[in-house]
Amino acid sequence: DGDAVVAAVIGEAGEHYDESIPLGVLQVRLRSTGEAEGGIGFLFPESDGEIEVGYGLSESARGLGLASEALAAVVELARSHGLRRMVALTDVDNTASHRVLERAAFVMTGRVESAEGAELRWVRDPL
């Protein structure tokens, strides 16, 4: 399941996916077993100090704090590369993801329409 979620995050990055760059897509693994339980990473190349993050976990790994821990790590990674703003989009009804973003000091700034439907836009500025 975790590998499928990683693949989905990579798929969302589409043509912008490049595993050789430091701000790419990473696996989220359990420390205890080393098993991949999801993915987190940057979906598009940095633009004017801003980058978009996306993440997902296998259903069995949700509620364990992994998304919060992984998001905190990639915020630090982005900051260490001189970025100043991070953006995330979530489904309107994904309250678990909303809580993860709020704990990471993201602020919901509005609703956007995309090919997938309505999404909420979240911003952390500054990192």
Side-chain angles (χ1 to χ4, degrees):
D1 287 345
D3 290 334
V5 175
V6 173
V9 172
I10 290 170
E12 192 171 342
E15 66 185 52
H16 301 292
Y17 175 69
D18 179 353
E19 64 185 27
S20 69
I21 60 174
L23 297 176
V25 177
L26 307 165
Q27 292 181 352
V28 176
R29 295 179 169 269
L30 288 176
R31 282 194 182 104
S32 61
T33 65
E35 288 184 40
E37 292 294 342
I40 188 165
F42 304 102
L43 303 181
F44 301 101
E46 174 270 333
S47 175
D48 194 28
E50 177 177 297
I51 199 159
E52 183 178 345
V53 66
Y55 55 88
L57 295 174
S58 62
E59 195 168 328
S60 63
R62 294 177 186 158
L64 303 176
L66 294 174
S68 294
E69 185 177 350
L71 183 57
V74 297
V75 164
E76 288 305 315
L77 179 62
R79 182 184 293 136
S80 75
H81 281 81
L83 298 176
R84 58 182 170 71
R85 179 183 303 122
M86 191 176 288
V87 175
L89 299 176
T90 64
D91 291 337
V92 173
D93 60 350
N94 188 344
T95 55
S97 192
H98 302 167
R99 287 192 302 272
V100 167
L101 290 163
E102 288 168 345
R103 281 193 293 274
F106 281 71
V107 175
M108 198 270 292
T109 61
R111 186 178 171 123
V112 296
E113 295 297 325
S114 71
E116 292 82 32
E119 295 180 301
L120 298 180
R121 184 175 192 269
W122 298 79
V123 175
R124 177 162 170 175
D125 183 13
L127 289 182

